[in-house]
């Protein structure tokens, strides 16, 4: 495995998806289990679903918020936080909404899909963090309108600032690590293509084949923690050696 472009890189970006948090015990949409298995995510994580049945959507979110509150950062999250302290410029761009990168110690995190443990008033826009999930569906204490989870749902645009930042980081990166994302959900899936077209060295870590696999300079068919450990060890050996 020749990772020398990653060793000499100055600007590094990690793009993460649900796979890295799976190792913290948070199911991806595709392998969501138990109770909610009979629903497709599009039937729950969408503005239409919320309009039709806010109670049910909030029950699903309350369940996921509890999972996130009880979870701990995985080895992969921790390695990325260590890498941030090593490189002159290191950013995580994440599609995850669980806040686990920050809890692992990462500071430069661009959240493309919002934050699950945060609610937003559909009336006045007031933000509540953590999300109040005692009474479901929760209402705003200022204007009494319904609160909604402060995440990006299917069919909704990404927060413009976060997207702009992600595009800038991807186009300037010397290297990009693509970890635990199926690279099917646009526009996020465009970022590795953009980085590669601007000359970035592309490393993918994913146990399954994805549309990025054929584009990547190196693909590790491992879980996030194992793959990141491997790469990080090599980088450190070169620096220390
Ligand atoms: P996704 O599209 O990012 O796909 C998950 C990917 O993880 C797959 O490619 C799979 O092969 C890979 N994977 C599985 N196990 C892995 C492991 N141990 N290590 C590394 N990779 C592994 O995720 P999705 O579930 O389809 O969700 C799409 C969107 O839904 C997310 O981008 C997010 O907005 C939201 N979501 C967020 C969370 C979270 O915040 N933890 C969880 C579920 C869904
Ligand atoms: Zn309000």
């Amino acid at each position: 495995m020749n990772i020398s472009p990653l060793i000499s890189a100055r600007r590094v970006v990690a793009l993460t998806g649900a796979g890295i948090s799976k190792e913290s015990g948070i199911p991806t949409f595709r392998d969501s289990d138990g109770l909610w298995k009979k629903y497709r995510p599009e039937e729950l994580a969408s503005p239409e679903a919320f309009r039709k049945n806010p109670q049910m959507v909030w029950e699903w979110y309350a369940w996921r918020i509890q999972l996130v509150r009880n979870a701990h950062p995985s080895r992969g999250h921790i390695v990325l936080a260590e890498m941030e302290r090593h490189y002159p410029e290191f950013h995580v761009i994440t599609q995850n909404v669980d806040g686990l990168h920050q809890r692992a110690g990462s500071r430069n995190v661009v959240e493309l899909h919002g934050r699950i443990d945060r609610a937003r008033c559909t009336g006045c826009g007031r933000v509540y963090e953590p999300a109040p999930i005692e009474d479901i569906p929760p209402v705003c204490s200022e204007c009494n309108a319904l609160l909604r989870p402060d995440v990006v749902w299917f069919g909704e645009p990404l927060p413009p600032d976060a997207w702009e930042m992600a595009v800038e980081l991807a186009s300037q990166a010397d290297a990009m690590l693509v970890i635990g994302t199926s690279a099917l959900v646009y526009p996020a899936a465009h970022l590795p293509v953009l980085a590669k077209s601007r000359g970035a060295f592309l490393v993918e870590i994913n146990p399954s084949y994805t549309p990025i696999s054929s584009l990547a300079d190196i693909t590790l068919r491992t879980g996030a923690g194992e793959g990141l450990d491997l790469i990080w060890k090599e980088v450190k050996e070169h620096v220390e050696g």
Side-chain angles (χ1 to χ4, degrees), residues 159-171:
D161 290 357
W163 178 245
E164 220 170 272
M165 177 89 175
V167 167
E168 194 179 313
L169 290 169
S171 38

Side-chain angles (χ1 to χ4, degrees), residues 121 123-126 128 140 142-145:
C121 177
C124 70
R126 187 177 156 180
Y128 293 74
C140 181
E142 305 266 306
C143 74
N144 222 35

Side-chain angles (χ1 to χ4, degrees), residues 34-240:
L35 217 50
W36 298 101
K37 195 151 188 110
K38 55 184 184 238
Y39 300 99
R40 288 186 304 126
E42 294 84 349
E43 292 177 79
L44 294 161
S46 74
E48 293 74 29
F50 189 67
R51 256 195 310 274
K52 262 196 256 164
N53 199 339
Q55 169 81 27
M56 182 172 85
V57 170
W58 263 113
E59 278 173 19
W60 184 56
Y61 274 94
W63 170 72
R64 291 178 59 212
I65 287 169
Q66 280 304 348
L67 279 178
V68 164
R69 285 182 188 171
N70 295 329
H72 300 285
S74 67
R75 180 68 196 148
H77 292 107
I78 291 165
V79 170
L80 290 178
E82 286 176 16
M83 288 179 121
E84 180 179 308
R85 294 192 281 274
H86 166 78
Y87 283 103
E89 285 186 43
F90 189 94
H91 288 80
V92 173
I93 302 172
T94 190
Q95 302 165 83
N96 296 343
V97 294
D98 52 38
L100 283 171
H101 286 299
Q102 290 89 338
R103 278 166 61 192
S106 286
R107 293 202 293 192
N108 301 329
V109 183
V110 178
E111 292 180 312
L112 293 178
H113 292 170
R115 181 73 74 89
I116 196 167
D117 202 356
R118 196 169 63 202
R120 186 172 85 225
C121 177
T122 57
C124 70
R126 187 177 156 180
V127 168
Y128 293 74
E129 190 170 8
I133 51 171
E134 300 77 36
D135 295 310
I136 285 183
V139 293
C140 181
S141 56
E142 305 266 306
C143 74
N144 222 35
L146 261 184
L147 302 187
R148 60 163 283 175
D150 198 8
V151 297
V152 176
W153 279 330
F154 288 99
E156 293 184 320
L158 302 188
D161 290 357
W163 178 245
E164 220 170 272
M165 177 89 175
V167 167
E168 194 179 313
L169 290 169
S171 38
Q172 293 174 355
D174 301 320
M176 181 183 269
L177 312 171
V178 185
I179 307 153
T181 175
S182 59
L184 291 171
V185 182
Y186 275 86
H190 176 62
L191 294 170
V193 181
L194 174 63
K196 176 81 181 178
S197 77
R198 300 292 180 95
F201 180 68
L202 214 57
V203 179
E204 181 183 53
I205 304 177
N206 198 314
S208 305
Y209 179 88
T210 78
I212 298 306
S213 301
S214 58
L215 200 69
D217 296 288
I218 289 180
T219 299
L220 296 175
R221 287 274 167 259
T222 65
E226 190 188 340
L228 276 167
D229 249 344
L230 227 120
I231 283 182
W232 185 217
K233 227 175 101 202
E234 288 246 340
V235 171
K236 279 192 298 187
E237 263 168 23
H238 278 83
V239 172
E240 284 156 12

